[in-house]
């Protein structure tokens, strides 16, 4: 499938901002299920800096805006060819060992309820160790059942434990919770950002899911929001310990006043 992407992010400042520095994780990953056809990122009044590929295989690109400016717009446009690999991340070059993703972060910290959910979905014993892929599917299904996908019910700082307690959230919350329960069972898991081509009016094109390390197979994607593994409707961008670590755009600026953010994303199927 060939997917077309248009992604525009605009930052507006209450007072003119200066010396804006941004780090972008906006270039799609390269692996067996994904091939870049064309891709362009532009920053209004921006100066392109250095870029590098990190140990997780993600491309990070620096930008700066000297200012003063009242707003900054980051425009992404391109086409990606995708193929369904049943969630398996084949041919992705990275050097970070899977065990690094056992690290706990504040949004993915497991409380007693998450710990109970993990052990309830995958009881300890030889059977659980014998089929780690089945265990990963069980964990993803448990999160889908426990946290209903409902936009507008949580915020950017909501933790996995808080989302589970209220029983609803968005894909970020479901991803954080799945990472938490996987790490409870000492299974490496990481947060993945990307795009999803969807016809659902409730679901946004900017999406997040989880990859769990399965011995013998490698990283496998699980999307608890849609109860599936990523297929050719998905475009993988990058990964991290949690949503903040994997954020597509991170930055700092100098200047007083508040900041507002507006994001629009459109994904269309060009060819199947």
């Amino acid at each position: 499938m060939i997917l077309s992407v248009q992604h525009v992010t605009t930052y507006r400042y209450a007072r003119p901002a200066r010396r804006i520095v941004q780090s972008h994780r906006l270039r799609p990953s390269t692996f067996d299920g994904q091939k870049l056809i064309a891709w362009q990122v532009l920053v209004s009044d921006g100066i392109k800096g250095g870029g590098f590929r990190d140990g997780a295989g993600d491309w990070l690109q620096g930008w700066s805006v000297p200012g003063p400016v009242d707003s900054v717009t980051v425009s992404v446009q391109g086409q990606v060819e995708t193929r369904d690999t049943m969630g398996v991340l084949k041919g992705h070059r990275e050097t970070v060992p899977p065990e690094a993703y056992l690290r706990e972060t504040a949004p993915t910290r497991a409380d007693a309820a998450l710990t109970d959910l993990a052990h309830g979905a995958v009881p300890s014993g030889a059977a659980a160790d014998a089929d780690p892929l089945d265990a990963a599917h069980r964990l993803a299904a448990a999160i889908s059942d426990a946290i209903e996908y409902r936009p507008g019910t949580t915020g950017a700082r909501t933790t996995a434990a808080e989302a589970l307690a209220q029983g609803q959230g968005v894909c970020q919350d479901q991803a954080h919770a799945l990472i938490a329960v996987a790490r409870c069972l000492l299974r490496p898991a990481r947060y993945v950002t990307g795009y999803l081509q969807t016809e659902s009016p409730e679901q946004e094109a900017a999406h997040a899911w989880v990859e769990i390390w399965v011995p013998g197979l490698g990283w496998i994607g699980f999307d608890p929001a849609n109860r599936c593994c990523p297929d050719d409707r998905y475009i993988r961008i990058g990964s991290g310990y949690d949503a903040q670590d994997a954020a597509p755009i991170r930055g700092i600026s100098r200047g007083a006043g508040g900041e507002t953010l507006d994001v629009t994303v459109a994904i269309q199927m060009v060819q199947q």
Side-chain angles (χ1 to χ4, degrees):
M1 184 183 295
I2 296 178
L3 299 175
S4 172
V5 178
Q6 289 187 327
H7 178 187
V8 179
T9 304
T10 301
Y11 298 85
R12 294 184 175 86
Y13 305 100
R15 297 181 182 178
R18 296 175 173 83
R19 298 183 184 178
I20 301 167
V21 179
Q22 292 184 341
S23 174
H24 293 176
R25 186 184 275 104
L26 288 168
R27 187 178 180 86
S29 308
T30 299
F31 61 98
D32 290 359
Q34 193 166 284
K35 177 183 177 183
L36 201 60
I37 298 175
W39 201 259
Q40 184 181 51
V41 179
L42 297 175
V43 179
S44 60
D45 300 306
I47 301 171
K48 191 174 184 178
F52 68 96
R53 193 169 302 280
D54 66 8
D58 301 338
W59 182 260
L60 274 70
Q61 179 66 53
W63 284 86
S64 62
V65 179
V69 293
D70 295 320
S71 66
V72 171
T73 297
V74 180
S75 302
V76 180
Q77 187 170 6
Q79 289 188 347
V80 180
E81 181 178 349
T82 61
R83 183 169 61 87
D84 186 3
T85 60
M86 295 180 289
V88 182
L89 188 66
K90 299 179 180 178
H92 186 254
R93 299 181 61 182
E94 54 185 292
T95 58
V96 175
E99 292 77 15
Y101 295 96
L102 291 171
R103 171 184 168 185
E104 185 182 74
T105 66
T108 63
R109 184 170 294 121
D111 63 356
L114 282 164
T115 302
D116 290 344
L117 182 66
H119 291 288
V122 185
S124 59
D129 296 332
D131 194 345
L133 179 59
D134 178 67
H137 278 287
R138 287 173 178 269
L139 291 174
I143 294 302
S144 298
D145 292 339
I147 302 176
E148 178 186 1
Y149 180 83
R150 185 170 294 180
T153 56
T154 55
R157 298 182 182 274
T158 301
T159 67
E162 290 168 342
L164 178 63
Q166 69 182 44
Q168 55 190 8
V170 294
C171 58
Q172 173 176 302
D173 305 302
Q174 293 170 316
H176 281 160
L178 180 51
I179 291 169
V181 296
R183 290 175 182 167
C184 278
L185 303 181
L186 299 180
R187 302 175 191 274
R190 62 190 181 186
Y191 191 99
V192 180
T193 59
Y195 303 111
L196 171 62
Q197 191 271 326
T198 176
E199 303 298 331
S200 172
E202 293 185 352
Q203 198 151 54
E204 297 180 356
H207 198 50
W209 58 95
V210 173
E211 288 172 350
I212 299 176
W213 178 261
V214 176
L217 291 174
W219 289 109
I220 311 293
F222 296 88
D223 181 8
N226 290 292
R227 296 179 179 268
C228 70
C229 291
D231 52 31
D232 55 359
R233 299 171 299 158
Y234 292 70
I235 296 176
R236 186 188 191 276
I237 297 294
S239 65
Y241 294 112
D242 52 33
Q244 182 178 0
D245 189 46
I249 302 175
R250 302 177 71 175
I252 58 173
S253 62
R254 298 189 67 178
E259 171 188 290
T260 60
L261 175 66
D262 181 54
V263 181
T264 59
V265 182
I267 311 296
Q268 295 181 334
M269 182 176 66
V270 178
Q271 177 183 337
Q272 187 168 9

